[in-house]
Amino acid sequence: VGLSFSFCQKANGLPRDKSLRSKKQKQHQRIRKEKPQQHNFTHRLLAAALKSHSGNISCMDFSSNGKYLATCADDRTVRIWSTKDFLQREHRSMRANVELDHATLVRFSPDCRAFVVWLANGDTLRVFKMTKREDGGYTFTATPEDFPKKHKAPVINIGIADTGKFIMTASSDTTILIWNLKGHVLSTINTNQMNNAHAAISPCSRFVGSCGFTPDVKVWEVCFGKKGDFQEVVRAFELKGHSAAVHFFAFSNDSRRMASVSKDGTWKLWDTDVEYKKQQDPYLLRTGCFEEASTRPCRLALSPDAQVLALASGSNIHLYNTRRGEKEEFFEQVHGECITDLSFDITGRLLASCGDRAVRLFHNTSGHRAVVEEMQGLLKRAFNESTRQRLQQQLTQAQEALRSLGALKK
């Protein structure tokens, strides 16, 4: 900066000798002008911004052991961030290069020793093995063979079952493919929803859900035998209640709750802990208003304990308490582009979002407040001394977290 700045200054009010400006410097200045401005965003609940990518981030995934966050961008790299650095000043990341292509989606394997990506140009899955080095870093090696090309439309999501038994890929037509880990298709699902807007595997690995143009969320069970052999995919249950297309849905960590957001301008929270084999339907717990959903696509994330619902439309994020259905926080223009992914970390203490070249992490104050409310209610009914101590400890922890964030309501 010092160089180009000194060349722009005038000597005694007159321009400096032009011959001083070599061609290199001119080029240097030109490059600098074209580099897009990083989007600036500040908020009292912003915990960190992760900046290493030179392209826009399209997807991210937290590893099941809670140690890492993977992000992929159109700069032909996947970055693996250490979650223990999130609240430090420096955020270290390891880089995996995607040869002659870039990844649009990324997912960790359940054992955190590999990750899979969807290739933008290759239109297929590639697996990267993660090998720990002696210096504590990792070596990333792409497996020699990519998965065969099977989809006829753009792929909108991928997932790996936590059991490690199958991989799911879903495209924007009505196709969901269930693969084994070696790249063989086990089953093809036709969702019959005109088009797929989103599809996902439940954290318990039993279910695959999809939503699209129809006003329902369809859920299938992926069945395996006692010896771990694939058997079949069967219809399990549906979330029925929206009056227009469903943009997005998510499962809670224990797969007993689901949330959905629809073009009808509402979000809904469902109890899906039902005996669907006995024709028991999921039941609606709460409906909330979200006008933005009626005019543009939205994404949502459900906190692991299902207490907090985060909704993203455009570059804004809204946080709702699911127990009362009230909006608690609003983060405006978080990114310079539309938000492409939204996810709580596995502790539920942080909410991550991406869209431009940065990941932004927020303190989940709504989650701490929900714990305070729940513990206060449970303490009124608890008479056993050890139970009371445990509840009191959780209550104090949540109140301390809120106090440190300056968010404890008097």
Side-chain angles (χ1 to χ4, degrees):
V1 179
L3 250 184
S4 51
F5 176 67
S6 65
F7 276 118
C8 296
Q9 278 183 325
K10 292 179 178 180
N12 308 324
L14 296 167
R16 284 262 181 99
D17 181 8
K18 285 209 169 80
S19 65
L20 274 171
R21 299 187 185 188
S22 66
K23 276 184 185 169
K24 254 198 170 152
Q25 245 111 27
K26 271 190 175 171
Q27 275 178 331
H28 195 64
Q29 283 180 322
R30 201 173 299 133
I31 291 164
R32 182 165 284 141
K33 275 182 197 144
E34 285 167 13
K35 199 175 176 191
Q37 272 301 121
Q38 273 272 33
H39 177 72
N40 274 332
F41 172 83
T42 53
H43 193 279
R44 62 188 171 81
L45 295 180
L46 183 68
L50 311 180
K51 299 174 181 178
S52 278
H53 279 292
S54 59
N56 287 345
I57 302 167
S58 55
C59 181
M60 54 189 179
D61 190 42
F62 283 99
S63 61
S64 58
N65 62 9
K67 288 182 180 178
Y68 303 109
L69 172 69
T71 54
C72 64
D74 57 16
D75 59 10
R76 296 186 171 185
T77 70
V78 173
R79 291 204 174 255
I80 310 288
W81 308 80
S82 177
T83 55
K84 68 174 192 295
D85 294 343
F86 282 174
L87 303 181
Q88 310 298 322
R89 286 192 63 168
E90 295 290 314
H91 305 120
R92 289 171 305 173
S93 70
M94 298 174 284
R95 188 180 77 194
N97 295 323
V98 183
E99 294 296 324
L100 305 175
D101 209 327
H102 72 269
T104 55
L105 298 159
V106 61
R107 296 284 175 255
F108 276 110
S109 65
D111 64 5
C112 309
R113 287 181 188 167
F115 59 86
V116 296
V117 300
W118 186 261
L119 299 173
N121 305 325
D123 260 339
T124 185
L125 275 177
R126 178 170 293 171
V127 181
F128 283 85
K129 293 261 168 45
M130 298 169 60
T131 323
K132 202 154 195 172
R133 297 196 307 258
E134 282 181 8
D135 63 5
Y138 278 92
T139 303
F140 304 107
T141 324
T143 51
E145 294 260 322
D146 293 336
F147 275 38
K149 288 187 190 184
K150 296 284 185 186
H151 282 282
K152 294 179 176 69
V155 162
I156 54 166
N157 203 16
I158 61 175
I160 308 182
D162 270 352
T163 52
K165 286 181 182 172
F166 68 93
I167 287 174
M168 173 219 74
T169 55
S171 47
S172 61
D173 48 10
T174 59
T175 310
I176 296 176
L177 296 180
I178 304 297
W179 310 71
N180 70 7
L181 272 60
K182 292 190 168 68
H184 297 294
V185 174
L186 300 172
S187 183
T188 303
I189 302 170
N190 177 2
T191 63
N192 287 320
Q193 288 172 311
M194 302 275 284
N195 71 308
N196 297 336
H198 182 58
I201 304 175
S202 64
C204 67
S205 298
R206 273 177 69 188
F207 305 116
V208 165
S210 82
C211 66
F213 187 73
T214 55
D216 49 20
V217 177
K218 292 181 179 174
V219 181
W220 289 263
E221 183 176 2
V222 184
C223 306
F224 287 85
K226 284 200 166 67
K227 291 177 181 161
D229 50 315
F230 171 76
Q231 289 182 327
E232 58 176 346
V233 173
V234 294
R235 285 291 288 276
F237 54 84
E238 286 180 19
L239 306 182
K240 292 201 266 288
H242 284 295
S243 59
V246 178
H247 294 303
F248 214 84
F249 67 90
F251 293 91
S252 65
N253 207 27
D254 60 7
S255 307
R256 290 173 165 180
R257 297 280 183 274
M258 283 178 76
S260 55
V261 60
S262 161
K263 201 175 169 146
D264 64 15
T266 67
W267 59 264
K268 292 180 185 291
L269 182 74
W270 311 80
D271 182 342
T272 51
D273 188 18
V274 293
E275 293 195 48
Y276 59 90
K277 283 175 181 160
K278 296 179 180 173
Q279 273 63 59
Q280 195 181 355
D281 286 323
Y283 48 99
L284 184 62
L285 296 172
R286 175 97 48 251
T287 298
C289 196
F290 188 60
E291 287 297 325
E292 286 86 342
S294 55
T295 54
R296 63 195 306 179
C298 300
R299 303 182 73 85
L300 65 79
L302 192 56
S303 65
D305 60 6
Q307 298 273 15
V308 183
L309 178 67
L311 287 154
S313 76
S315 59
N316 303 335
I317 300 174
H318 310 250
L319 256 60
Y320 287 84
N321 169 309
T322 57
R323 189 182 285 200
R324 294 187 309 278
E326 292 169 5
K327 191 196 285 194
E328 292 211 347
E329 301 288 354
F330 175 52
F331 308 132
E332 198 172 9
Q333 291 188 326
V334 179
H335 296 278
E337 309 276 338
C338 283
I339 290 168
T340 51
D341 209 351
L342 192 63
S343 174
F344 285 92
D345 76 331
I346 66 165
T347 66
R349 286 170 164 264
L350 294 170
L351 172 69
S353 70
C354 62
D356 45 24
R357 293 178 295 161
V359 172
R360 303 201 193 276
L361 296 152
F362 293 91
H363 291 289
N364 179 17
T365 46
S366 306
H368 295 307
R369 277 191 214 112
V371 171
V372 168
E373 223 169 280
E374 190 183 14
M375 294 309 141
Q376 285 171 337
L378 290 169
L379 272 166
K380 283 176 188 162
R381 301 194 295 276
F383 301 108
N384 177 326
E385 189 51 40
S386 66
T387 305
R388 287 186 67 83
Q389 274 180 344
R390 195 184 76 245
L391 295 173
Q392 187 59 54
Q393 189 184 358
Q394 284 174 281
L395 173 62
T396 309
Q397 271 177 345
Q399 285 171 330
E400 280 303 314
L402 286 169
R403 189 174 290 118
S404 70
L405 297 167
L408 191 61
K409 287 181 178 168
K410 298 285 181 275

